[in-house]
């Protein structure tokens, strides 16, 4: 039986012919500025690394021509709109939610529902990032990389992430959106639960939380977590041989039987916790 992983967000990767260690750091993509912290050792790991690798290279995300490509792919094919996918009652739930946060649903009708789920959590308001209420570990680390003239890279392309979402039928995406909104009071608690797990660096628990979230995302766990983790391993194996790299990926990817910590260990690397929840 597999023992529980140490509660740690930062891990050191050694062995298998690696000259200088690389690091794996579990992030949370958006966190309130009060809750933001760097776990022990993260800034040191940034200093020791020559490259910072994200799920997707942040600089691709910030590239406007690539963003336009994303926008096109974000729309549903065949003129499908959200109304076509939901009962009147469920549609109303979504509409009222978006009215409440001040985004006219009219603009979003034809987007793949999965893209709208980020606004399904009671707490997330558009503009929170700009106003500095919410911060992103990825953007913070990207700034450090730029200040220290370090290379940045991604484990996958925006296209790949989009095709993963694309492979989930629109109807199921729409149902997930409704679920997310209906749970959003509970979602608030879920988000708070996630935040406190994150603060306590409980990566195995964070993985479990994603897997069983009221069942809304269980089926997609494979597509959105497991398959991606497995795709990342060969890329990580190449990168750790080239130069010391800090991999900054969502903390949900670290724990679990198919999380990248256990997958790297299975490949024979020595993977040890650096930050410990005190």
């Amino acid at each position: 039986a597999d023992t529980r992983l140490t509660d740690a967000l930062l891990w050191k990767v050694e062995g298998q012919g690696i000259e200088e260690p690389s690091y794996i750091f579990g992030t949370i993509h958006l966190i309130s500025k009060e809750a933001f912290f760097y776990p022990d050792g993260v800034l040191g790991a940034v200093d020791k690394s020559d490259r910072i690798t994200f799920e997707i290279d942040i600089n691709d995300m910030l590239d406007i021509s690539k963003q336009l490509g994303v926008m096109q792919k974000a729309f549903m094919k065949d003129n499908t709109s959200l109304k076509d996918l939901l009962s009147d009652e469920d549609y109303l739930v979504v509409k009222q939610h978006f009215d409440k946060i001040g985004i006219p649903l009219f603009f979003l009708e034809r987007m793949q529902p999965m893209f709208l789920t980020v606004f399904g959590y009671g707490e997330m308001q558009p503009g929170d990032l700009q106003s500095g209420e919410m911060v992103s570990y990825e953007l913070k680390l990207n700034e450090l990389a730029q200040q220290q003239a370090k290379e940045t890279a991604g484990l996958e392309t925006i296209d790949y992430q989009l095709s993963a979402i694309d492979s989930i039928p629109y109807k199921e995406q729409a149902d997930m959106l409704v679920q997310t909104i209906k749970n959003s009071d509970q979602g608030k608690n879920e988000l708070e639960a996630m935040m406190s797990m994150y603060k306590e660096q409980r990566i195995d628990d964070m993985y479990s939380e994603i897997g069983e979230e009221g069942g809304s995302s269980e089926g997609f766990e494979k597509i959105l977590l497991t398959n991606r983790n497995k795709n990342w391993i060969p890329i990580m194996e190449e990168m750790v041989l080239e130069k010391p790299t800090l991999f900054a990926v969502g903390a949900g990817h670290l724990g679990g039987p198919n999380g990248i910590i256990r997958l790297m260990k299975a490949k024979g690397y020595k993977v040890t916790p650096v930050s410990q929840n005190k």
Side-chain angles (χ1 to χ4, degrees), residues 9-10 23-27 39 42 137 141 198 246-249 254:
L9 289 166
L10 181 67
Y23 296 89
I24 296 169
F25 169 45
T27 64
V42 170
Y137 275 94
L141 289 167
Y198 188 76
L246 172 73
F247 298 94
V249 300
L254 270 52

Side-chain angles (χ1 to χ4, degrees), residues 72-124:
Q72 281 169 325
K73 290 193 177 148
F75 288 95
M76 295 191 270
K77 298 177 190 65
D78 307 325
N79 277 334
T80 307
S81 86
L82 195 57
K83 238 191 181 98
D84 304 332
L85 299 168
L86 295 173
S87 67
D88 293 348
E89 189 188 341
D90 279 348
Y91 180 77
L92 196 64
V93 168
V94 176
K95 187 176 169 345
Q96 286 172 335
H97 176 77
F98 278 89
D99 287 346
K100 196 171 81 198
I101 60 175
I103 308 178
L105 193 53
F106 172 73
F107 291 120
L108 308 171
E109 276 286 345
R110 296 189 185 284
M111 281 186 91
Q112 296 203 41
M114 190 85 178
F115 286 94
L116 305 181
T117 50
V118 322
F119 299 118
Y121 296 102
E123 291 302 89
M124 248 312 276

Side-chain angles (χ1 to χ4, degrees), residues 45-47 49-54 57-58 138 140-146 148 150-154 239 243-248:
V46 170
D47 288 340
S49 302
D50 294 337
R51 165 170 53 203
I52 298 184
T53 296
F54 302 97
D57 190 347
I58 298 296
E138 281 76 9
K140 290 255 192 212
L141 289 167
N142 197 49
E143 277 167 27
L144 289 177
Q146 283 173 339
Q148 302 178 20
K150 293 182 191 294
E151 183 190 324
T152 58
M239 287 190 174
K243 57 182 73 165
T245 300
L246 172 73
F247 298 94

Side-chain angles (χ1 to χ4, degrees), residues 63-79:
D63 171 345
I64 191 76
S65 60
K66 294 201 171 148
Q67 282 181 356
L68 291 171
V70 170
M71 284 313 290
Q72 281 169 325
K73 290 193 177 148
F75 288 95
M76 295 191 270
K77 298 177 190 65
D78 307 325
N79 277 334

Side-chain angles (χ1 to χ4, degrees), residues 6-8 37 39-41 198-201 273-278:
T6 307
D7 294 338
F37 72 107
D40 289 347
Y198 188 76
K199 208 160 98 193
E200 291 162 14
Q201 309 200 32
V274 180
S275 62
Q276 301 266 329
N277 176 28
K278 299 284 181 285

Side-chain angles (χ1 to χ4, degrees), residues 153-180:
L155 289 166
E156 62 195 21
T157 58
I158 297 179
D159 277 350
Y160 176 81
Q161 237 178 20
L162 287 174
S163 65
I165 289 176
D166 243 342
S167 65
I168 302 171
Y170 298 152
K171 175 79 183 104
E172 293 181 33
Q173 293 189 33
D175 291 341
M176 264 176 89
L177 175 63
V178 173
Q179 244 0 83
T180 307

